Amino acid sequence: RKEVEQDPGPFNVPEGATVAFNCTYSNSASQSFFWYRQDCRKEPKLLMSVYSSGNEDGRFTAQLNRASQYISLLIRDSKLSDSATYLCVVNSFGNQGGKLIFGQGTELSVKP
Amino acid sequence: NAGVMQNPRHLVRRRGQEARLRCSPMKGHSHVYWYRQLPEEGLKFMVYLQKENIIDESGMPKERFSAEFPKEGPSILRIQQVVRGDSAAYFCASSPFARSTTNEKLFFGSGTQLSVL
C-alpha cells in the first residue's frame, strides 16, 4: 500500500464548478499535511497547509480527518488558472525525523 | 532573496556517462532534500542532507547514486553510469528547519530534467 494515495484523475470540469480531491495516508504517526500544486511538471509550490480544524484560503478549503487518515481539498468557483496537478503531501515521521511524502497527484483541467 | 537554484535545467547524457546535478539552497537554509519524479509519477524522496552530513539516504538507489552538501558550495547529486531508467525530473528543495519539526515547508528549485539517450 502506498503511504499517500490520491484520486487518480484527471478531473475535467467547466469554469465555475466545484471540485473535490481526496487523499488517504497510511502512517498514523504523521504530524503535518499539505497540498502542493504542480504546473506542467515544474517545481511543486505550496498551496496550503491542512489543519485538524479545517482551513480555508479564498476558494480553497482543506479538511483533515485523523481518525480516517483522510485529507481533502475543495476548490469552489474553479478558474482556468486552477488547471494543474494537485499533490497531497504528508510529513511522515520515522527514526530519522520527518520527511515529506508526496502522493502521485491528481490532475485538474478546467475548461471554458 | 534568491530562491532555490538548480542547474542545469536540462541535462542530456548517453548511457554510461556521469550526471552531476547542482542545487544551491535559499540563503540561510542549511537543509537540502532531493526528490525524483519519473514520468507520470509523483515525487519520490531520495536523500536529506545538512551541511557536510547525509542525514537520511533511505530513498537513494543502492548503486550509482551519491549526494553531498559541502561546507562551501552547492549540493551535488551525482549519478554514475547513467541508464535510460534514470531519465526523470530531479528536484531539490531546501528548508531552514531541521526535519524533526512538524510544520516543515519546503521550497523547491525548478528542477533538472535528465534525459538519457
Side-chain angles (χ1 to χ4, degrees), chain B:
Chain B
N1 186 13
V4 179
M5 304 299 293
Q6 287 190 251
N7 67 83
R9 289 294 302 275
H10 301 277
L11 181 61
V12 179
R13 285 287 178 266
R14 295 188 182 281
R15 282 181 297 172
Q17 291 184 318
E18 178 180 287
R20 292 172 70 87
L21 288 61
R22 296 175 185 77
C23 169
S24 296
M26 287 180 72
K27 187 176 180 180
H29 289 194
S30 57
H31 304 267
V32 166
Y33 305 76
W34 286 93
Y35 283 80
R36 175 166 68 172
Q37 187 172 31
L38 294 168
E40 308 302 324
E41 293 190 14
L43 278 78
K44 296 285 193 269
F45 168 80
M46 299 183 75
V47 62
Y48 163 48
L49 310 103
Q50 292 178 22
K51 282 285 187 181
E52 301 184 272
N53 290 305
I54 297 174
I55 306 301
D56 181 355
E57 55 183 348
S58 59
M60 289 278 270
K62 294 289 185 282
E63 298 176 346
R64 302 187 297 107
F65 284 72
S66 61
E68 62 177 11
F69 188 16
K71 185 177 181 181
E72 301 292 337
S75 176
I76 305 288
L77 179 67
R78 181 183 177 204
I79 312 172
Q80 295 177 289
Q81 299 175 320
V82 296
V83 301
R84 289 218 174 103
D86 297 333
S87 295
Y90 291 83
F91 290 100
C92 168
S94 74
S95 170
F97 306 114
R99 204 170 73 168
S100 58
T101 62
T102 58
N103 289 322
E104 181 176 41
K105 298 171 190 174
L106 296 185
F107 298 86
F108 281 85
S110 300
T112 293
Q113 179 63 52
L114 172 65
S115 299
V116 180
L117 304 179

